[in-house]
Amino acid sequence: MSTDTAPGASRATLDLVTAAWRTQSVYAAAKLGLPDLIAAGHTGAPDIARAAGADEDAVRRLLRLLVRLDVFTWDEDGGYRNTPVGDLLRERPGSLRDVCLLYGEEFYQAWGHVIETARTGRPGFEEAYGQSLVSYLRDDADAAKRFQRVMQAQADNFAFDAVPREIDFSADRHVVDIAGGSGRLLSTVLATVPGARGTLLDLEHTIPIARAYLEGTVGGDRATLVAGDMFSTPFPGEADTYLLSRVLGDWSDDECVRLLGNVREAMGKHSRLVVIELVVQDGHAGLLAPLWDLHLMVVNGGHQRTFGEYTELAARSGLSVQRSVHLPMEATALVLTPAG
């Protein structure tokens, strides 16, 4: 007699507990460069294995699984081919290969300590690496560059291109992006407002990446780049719009209030602050936000918040939430203005 409490419960449980096998299989393909080798014309398993410098039997078995996961296709005449998923794992601009490597290496190691996080509240990343994610990236220049490439690649997932479609920037003359990373969001906004200029503030190691991206998109003369800590470096005063994208989730409530308070001090009466985050909802609506919420706790002690929690942070900082805008991929833009 089946012990399932509901039809399919056993299969659903097995899919959940073996999910990490899928993650690491996709990671192995990206790390070995299999999608690039296939794109270059290596379509048979023996040829792919030789080109990758890997064991033929292991590669054949890996490829067989990845066909089931829709990373590759296979037929007897043509051998292996990339699917759109496989193409996204190739080493080229706009791909998600760096995302796959980060999640398969550093973040996978951090999640290996999730039980310590659950018991102590301490990030699993610190258990795995003996230091915080921020200090790890500060100490390892290659990891920092890879992390910034990941953030840039994930920009599409957070629908930056949708921001100027949903929020009107046409009257803006000065836009300040705080912790602006690669410059993707600022560039997207400035591209829609030819008469506006921008300021991007972030840590020193991110500035060359942002400079290169802005020079290649809207032009380096459109934005001023400031290297500094967002908690201690003064923000330009009375800009039209301040941007905080995927920042608050990394910090505690008190640190968020401190940061938002600093933005409030810089704002003029006409200014606004646009916060982009995943907003957690109660019940069954939305999967990415609670997933990301736990992930942030594991990697750096951060968390995503509910709409009510963001409203409370704003009120503690002298701000009020004027409206919220739904973006693709479960993202939300909150538009905040000075209270009173």
Side-chain angles (χ1 to χ4, degrees), residues 24 27 102-114 116 124-129 298-299:
Q24 289 306 99
Y27 161 72
L102 178 67
Y103 280 68
E105 293 175 6
E106 285 94 344
F107 287 174
Y108 189 78
Q109 294 298 320
W111 272 88
H113 294 270
V114 67
E116 287 97 329
F125 190 95
E126 295 180 9
E127 297 289 342
Y129 290 92
V298 169
V299 299

Side-chain angles (χ1 to χ4, degrees), residues 22 26 62-74 81-89:
R22 306 180 188 206
V26 175
L62 176 61
L63 291 167
R64 183 169 58 200
L65 173 61
L66 292 171
V67 168
R68 271 67 165 189
L69 296 180
D70 199 31
V71 177
F72 306 123
T73 62
W74 179 83
R81 294 287 187 272
N82 284 312
T83 66
V85 174
D87 275 330
L88 279 175
L89 296 172

Side-chain angles (χ1 to χ4, degrees), residues 15-329:
D15 285 345
L16 288 172
V17 300
T18 61
W21 301 353
R22 306 180 188 206
T23 299
Q24 289 306 99
S25 296
V26 175
Y27 161 72
K31 186 72 172 180
L32 291 170
L34 303 190
D36 292 288
L37 293 174
I38 290 172
H42 302 279
T43 59
D47 186 26
I48 294 170
R50 281 193 299 270
D55 180 78
E56 180 180 333
D57 182 53
V59 168
R60 186 186 305 277
R61 292 156 73 174
L62 176 61
L63 291 167
R64 183 169 58 200
L65 173 61
L66 292 171
V67 168
R68 271 67 165 189
L69 296 180
D70 199 31
V71 177
F72 306 123
T73 62
W74 179 83
D75 65 68
E76 293 184 1
D77 296 327
Y80 292 95
R81 294 287 187 272
N82 284 312
T83 66
V85 174
D87 275 330
L88 279 175
L89 296 172
R90 292 173 59 191
E91 188 172 5
R92 61 180 184 175
S95 83
L96 294 178
R97 182 174 186 269
D98 284 318
V99 177
C100 184
L101 297 182
L102 178 67
Y103 280 68
E105 293 175 6
E106 285 94 344
F107 287 174
Y108 189 78
Q109 294 298 320
W111 272 88
H113 294 270
V114 67
I115 192 64
E116 287 97 329
T117 297
R119 285 175 172 159
T120 69
R122 180 180 171 86
F125 190 95
E126 295 180 9
E127 297 289 342
Y129 290 92
Q131 62 184 135
S132 69
L133 175 62
V134 172
S135 64
Y136 176 83
L137 296 176
R138 186 180 293 123
D139 293 344
D140 190 325
D142 289 338
K145 291 177 182 178
R146 180 157 50 91
F147 184 80
Q148 286 301 321
R149 291 198 302 269
V150 167
M151 296 300 288
Q152 184 171 337
Q154 287 184 326
D156 289 336
N157 292 339
F158 280 81
F160 282 173
D161 291 345
V163 174
R165 293 199 300 268
E166 301 295 337
I167 298 175
D168 184 9
F169 292 89
S170 61
D172 286 13
R173 291 297 173 263
H174 188 193
V175 178
V176 178
D177 194 353
I178 301 166
S182 69
R184 172 67 182 273
L185 177 58
L186 181 60
S187 171
T188 300
V189 171
L190 292 180
T192 66
V193 192
R197 62 187 178 90
T199 298
L200 183 145
L201 183 146
D202 211 325
L203 297 175
E204 186 173 0
H205 67 267
T206 69
I207 296 301
I209 299 170
R211 178 177 291 111
Y213 188 82
L214 289 162
E215 287 177 350
T217 51
V218 296
D221 59 336
R222 298 272 318 270
T224 300
L225 304 180
V226 179
D229 185 301
M230 64 183 179
F231 288 103
S232 57
T233 303
F235 304 135
E238 300 192 1
D240 298 293
T241 299
Y242 296 84
L243 302 171
L244 271 176
S245 177
R246 297 182 294 166
V247 173
L248 298 184
D250 293 334
W251 304 96
S252 69
D253 286 356
D254 288 343
E255 288 167 322
C256 287
V257 170
R258 177 185 168 196
L259 176 59
L260 292 173
N262 291 342
V263 178
R264 174 64 184 90
E265 289 183 8
M267 296 171 77
K269 293 182 179 179
H270 71 290
S271 301
R272 63 182 176 178
L273 167 63
V274 177
V275 173
I276 300 175
E277 294 284 355
L278 295 176
V279 176
V280 180
Q281 302 180 54
D282 292 328
H284 297 282
L287 177 61
L288 283 180
L291 272 175
W292 211 262
D293 178 41
L294 188 57
H295 174 68
L296 288 176
M297 186 177 190
V298 169
V299 299
N300 66 3
H303 64 106
Q304 298 293 344
R305 295 173 171 87
T306 65
F307 180 81
E309 288 172 323
Y310 283 116
T311 300
E312 183 177 346
L313 289 180
R316 290 177 58 189
S317 310
L319 299 163
S320 63
V321 179
Q322 292 300 306
R323 66 187 181 112
S324 64
V325 179
H326 293 296
L327 301 173
M329 295 297 289

